[in-house]
Amino acid sequence: MRVLVVEDDRETAQFLQKSLKENGHTADLAADGEAGLALATDGAYDVLIVDRMLPRLDGLSVIKSLRAQGNRTPVLILSALGEVDDRVKGLRAGGDDYLTKPYAYSELLARVEALGRRTAPEEQQTRIAVGDLVLDRLSHRVTRGGEHILLQPREYRLLEYLMQHAGQVVTRTMLLEHVWDYHFDPQTNVIDVHVSRLRAKIDKNFDKPLLHTVRGAGYTIRDGPA
Amino acid sequence: MTALLERVAKAASTTAFGLSAAAVAFFLLAAALVVGFLFWQTNNLLTNQVLGVLTAEARILSSEMKVGGRAKLAETVAAMSHLRGTGLYYLADAGGVKIAGNLNRIPPELTEDTHGGVFSYQPAGDDSASHLAVAIPVDLGSDVRLIVGRDIEDQRAFADSIRLAFLLGFGVLSVAGLLGGLAVSRLILNRMDAITATSRSIIDGDLTRRIPTSGSGGELDALAGNLNEMLDRIEGLMSGLREVSDNIAHDLKTPLNRLRNSAEAALRDPRGAEAYREGLERTIEKSDELIKTFNALLLIARLEAGPLEESVETFDLGRFVEDVTELYMPAAEEAGFALSIEAEKNVFVRANRQLIGQAVANLIDNAIKYSRGGEPGSAITVRAYREEGRPAFSVGDHGPGIAADDRERALKRFVRLEASRTQPGTGLGLSLVAAVARLHHGEVRLEDNQPGLKVAVLLSGKCMIAASPASGSADSDVSAGIAAQ
């Protein structure tokens, strides 16, 4: 993916550029809002990473200008302001996702990849398959190897989100935000327990595990090794 | 003397004095208009009366002339002139020679005027001053000239006394008004000086000072009361800020030191690369814990600083609490607890959903962490209900509980009671719950759950938008499994 990083802290920007390259992406840098807006307007990027507090033109103004031009490139906002109000303002300005500083790089990467490969709602499949695991979004029926798996509603939504992002790392925070719509710290490993219960249902009686834990990052569902 | 003059000058330069002076000026102008109008009306009335009398007399004298001729007229005029009154007459022939009357000549003011008018004359036997009179000519043909008049000196004296009274009153009112204005502005100035002096002390760093009130319950007292409340709030926030910085200095230095020690230990470890890797992983874990603590601390400080209006939304408290509880069900079950929920549905509140969720999460997390799971009766009960018309939720456990003496302290930042020291945690969980409650103008109650601890969060009644007609938890449904979606 081609990523544009609009970040005024040189050290952070270079760290992100280097890390994204290590993960197989290309990353351009812009050190202020005006330069970021010019690059985002001219270049064809898959994802924009925009810091909120930028010199010359703040991050939210950059996003608003882009959206006003009709530019729909997914944007991940980075900010030290992490309260609910701040998130709401960021998402209302046209941001697609919001990450509070300080963040773990694995969290940022997972979110960038989720944004980059996100499918438009009209293109959403009614049937998602990962290996022999099939989820039918019309009948809410899940089968593996043709065998019906009975899931609780929340387990179904958890699996649906994981399968929508098959092959990608999905963090615990992403699951909490997208499956439960919670933006608070659950304090304990509640997500891990939910995932392990889901794993018991979809992997336990099968030879090949599909739901993998990515240490220090989160989870991924894929037909193959983690 | 100079000091007094300075005080007067200061009072005179105040807004209060300016307003008083403006009010007095407006009042005096209104009074002048009213008195002037009354004076003008009275004058008109009296003049019309005199003119009426003169017109009547002129008619009588005309008929005398018609009936008895010039001789009869002269006789009547002479008779009327000798009466001791205010009547003035002058009868002359066509050549201007006086025939009868008590006026010596035609007043020069009336020689050209055919309609009559006001003139001055010197009464016979009165050398003091000239009198004011009004007269009209009577048309009796060309062979005689008759003027009929009235002395209006009494009217002039009346008008003069009214004018004098008005001017005196005007003067007295002006002086009294200005003195009153000075007194009022002085009073206000004294109160303002007290407010200024207090503000000055506060600016200089004494946040304990408060503005004195007179106890009269007036507007200035209300203003002083509000300012004092504001100062209480500011003092509270400042002490909170001091507390936060003390906490940061004290409680964050320890984990930072641990972080440093861990990195140093890894560097000293002879195993090399493997130890470095472990050290780095530990460093990341410890910095994550630090970030968590720091975020919680900042969130509490921000909640205490003021409302988060934009993030307020309307939701069913019972359903939401049930939903959050459901998130913890598997974790509680694995820890050996029977987690149950009793939620009264259709209690719609207007609140910050994420913060309420955080409060519920913190309470359930505390209950799991600090009460003993896996033992008989290891139950955690989460409730959402109404109490005294206020929306509320509570989490009760059967753990060791908190001693009554420690309950207030347990809500403070970084307080880790002896029983909980061995457990992981920041010591901010309950203080964050308390901050969320305060943000919603509510309160947190720590109660004995017999056995265990029950933490109840009561939000303000103002947060409630609507509720089902059922009272209490009559329509609550208890579910001990996964809530229906």
Side-chain angles (χ1 to χ4, degrees), chain A residues 83 154 183 185-186 188 194, chain B residues 299 302 323 327-328 354 365:
Chain A
E83 304 309 333
R154 192 72 74 177
H183 295 267
D185 178 7
T188 47
H194 280 273
Chain B
L299 179 59
R302 191 161 167 185
D323 214 21
L327 174 70
Y328 283 82
Q354 299 300 340
D365 180 59

Side-chain angles (χ1 to χ4, degrees), chain A residues 136-169:
Chain A
D136 189 318
R137 298 169 85 177
L138 293 177
S139 64
H140 281 214
R141 194 178 155 85
V142 176
T143 58
R144 183 158 184 195
E147 203 177 307
H148 179 230
I149 297 170
L150 191 65
L151 295 179
Q152 295 284 359
R154 192 72 74 177
E155 288 169 343
Y156 171 84
R157 276 158 63 184
L158 189 57
L159 180 65
E160 181 186 40
Y161 187 78
L162 285 162
M163 288 177 81
Q164 273 179 297
H165 298 89
Q168 294 173 40
V169 176

Side-chain angles (χ1 to χ4, degrees), chain A residues 81-86 88-89 92 100-104 152-154 157 176 180-191 193-194 196-197 215, chain B residues 281 291-292 295 298-299 302 307-311 320 323-324 326-331 333-334 352-355 357-358 361-362 365 369 432 482 485:
Chain A
L81 309 168
E83 304 309 333
V84 180
D85 278 8
D86 304 317
V88 167
K89 279 178 193 160
R92 276 189 189 156
T100 308
K101 291 178 181 179
Y103 48 83
Q152 295 284 359
R154 192 72 74 177
R157 276 158 63 184
L176 193 70
W180 277 270
D181 188 27
Y182 293 162
H183 295 267
F184 56 79
D185 178 7
Q187 310 288 342
T188 47
N189 60 341
V190 281
I191 300 296
V193 184
H194 280 273
S196 77
R197 289 193 171 202
R215 195 161 169 263
Chain B
E281 281 172 359
I291 288 164
K292 229 179 214 191
N295 283 344
L298 286 175
L299 179 59
R302 191 161 167 185
L308 299 167
E309 273 308 320
E310 276 194 37
S311 54
F320 180 62
D323 214 21
V324 176
E326 177 257 320
L327 174 70
Y328 283 82
M329 290 249 173
E333 211 173 287
E334 291 212 348
N352 185 311
R353 185 172 163 270
Q354 299 300 340
L355 290 173
Q358 183 74 73
N362 283 15
D365 180 59
K369 259 196 311 221
L432 184 57
I482 301 292
Q485 302 289 312

Side-chain angles (χ1 to χ4, degrees), chain A residues 9-30:
Chain A
D9 183 65
R10 199 156 155 248
E11 199 178 319
T12 305
Q14 284 175 344
F15 164 77
L16 287 177
Q17 188 178 38
K18 185 171 173 283
S19 307
L20 287 164
K21 278 181 178 169
E22 283 168 3
N23 287 99
H25 306 294
T26 56
D28 292 339
L29 302 183

